[in-house]
């Protein structure tokens, strides 16, 4: 029973192809460069959230840049910033910044 409880609280293992790993690292670096608001977020947290966003994108049929930008916005805003951007009414502006990053690197 202890193993089941411990397993339920651990984060999933980040498994990905070498191509996806490169995209995660590139995207994480670009987010760092374009979002000074995330300076207090650790690299590990940002990499994990970036990976989660790509994983969610991979599970959808619709992967245009707008959809991808919204996925990144929601992942970062919800899991790293406790809805800081949403509460400030910056959803559209932040999504556009993610859109710009995605069109640049993909």
């Amino acid at each position: 029973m202890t193993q089941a409880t411990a397993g339920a609280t651990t984060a999933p293992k980040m498994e990905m192809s070498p191509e996806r790993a490169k995209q995660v690292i590139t995207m994480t670096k670009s987010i760092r460069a374009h979002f000074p608001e995330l300076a207090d977020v650790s690299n590990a947290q940002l990499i994990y959230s970036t990976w989660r966003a790509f994983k969610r994108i991979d599970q959808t049929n619709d992967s245009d840049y707008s959809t991808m930008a919204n996925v990144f916005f929601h992942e970062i805003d919800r899991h790293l910033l406790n809805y800081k951007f949403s509460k400030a009414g910056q959803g559209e502006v932040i999504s556009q910044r993610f859109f710009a990053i995605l069109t640049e690197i993909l």
Side-chain angles (χ1 to χ4, degrees):
M1 173 126 2
T2 304
Q3 289 177 333
T5 304
T9 60
T10 60
K13 185 176 179 183
M14 290 193 306
E15 295 180 3
M16 64 194 107
S17 69
E19 179 181 318
R20 177 60 82 205
K22 183 178 176 182
Q23 288 174 330
V24 167
I25 296 302
T26 301
M27 185 67 178
T28 301
K29 287 179 180 179
S30 193
I31 291 170
R32 275 277 181 232
H34 291 89
F35 286 91
E37 304 93 334
L38 300 175
D40 293 337
V41 175
S42 74
N43 286 334
Q45 288 176 304
L46 189 56
I47 289 169
Y48 183 71
S49 286
T50 302
W51 171 77
R52 278 178 47 116
F54 274 122
K55 186 173 179 176
R56 285 183 52 209
I57 289 165
D58 289 344
Q59 294 171 349
T60 65
N61 292 333
D62 187 12
S63 61
D64 63 87
Y65 290 139
S66 293
T67 301
M68 292 171 68
N70 286 329
V71 169
F72 273 97
F73 165 72
H74 289 293
E75 180 64 35
I76 300 297
D77 190 45
R78 179 179 179 195
H79 294 287
L80 292 182
L81 300 177
N82 195 28
Y83 299 101
K84 176 182 173 181
F85 292 138
S86 295
K87 290 175 185 175
Q90 296 179 321
E92 185 64 32
V93 172
I94 300 299
S95 289
Q96 289 175 359
R97 288 168 62 188
F98 279 114
F99 181 89
I101 292 169
L102 288 163
T103 58
E104 181 181 306
I105 66 169
L106 295 181

